[in-house]
Amino acid sequence: GDRAATAAMARRVLAATSDPADRRSQLAQAFLAWATDDPIEAARGFAAVQPSAPDAPWWRQMVTIDAIIGAALAAAATGSAPRARAYLDRAAQLAAGQLASAPILIGHRVEAIATLRDRLP
């Protein structure tokens, strides 16, 4: 929920990537939109991030998980708690499938999902 930190990190990612079509760049742009209080543009950005194939390595799955978590944030920001919950359920499902591959990094996502779910009305 720290929009200032999110904006700063998103700007760092955008400065470090040269391909605007790169999924990480798209994800950073969407998080920047969320952090600067533009949830509609953020939702469009998160939806534009192509999901990883089910058999993709865990680090590619993390981009998909992060995009779904971002979509939940955007949905919550527009007042759609049911849609946010559905996104969080999907992110939790994907994260659970990857937990053994990168327990610390995926574990952080699992914790974030639980925290975001608890904050929904």
Side-chain angles (χ1 to χ4, degrees), residues 11 22 46 106:
R11 286 185 180 108
D22 182 282
F46 292 124
I106 300 294

Side-chain angles (χ1 to χ4, degrees), residues 70-106:
L73 288 168
T78 60
S80 182
R83 191 166 8 144
R85 277 190 196 87
Y87 282 128
L88 292 173
D89 289 345
R90 178 69 180 132
Q93 179 186 26
L94 288 173
Q98 299 298 318
L99 195 53
S101 299
I104 293 174
L105 294 174
I106 300 294

Side-chain angles (χ1 to χ4, degrees), residues 61-81:
Q61 294 293 344
M62 279 185 45
V63 174
T64 300
I65 293 166
D66 288 348
I68 296 169
I69 291 170
L73 288 168
T78 60
S80 182

Side-chain angles (χ1 to χ4, degrees), residues 16-32:
T17 57
S18 58
D19 181 4
D22 182 282
R23 292 172 61 220
R24 294 165 298 181
S25 180
Q26 292 173 330
L27 186 62
Q29 192 65 47
F31 271 113
L32 182 59

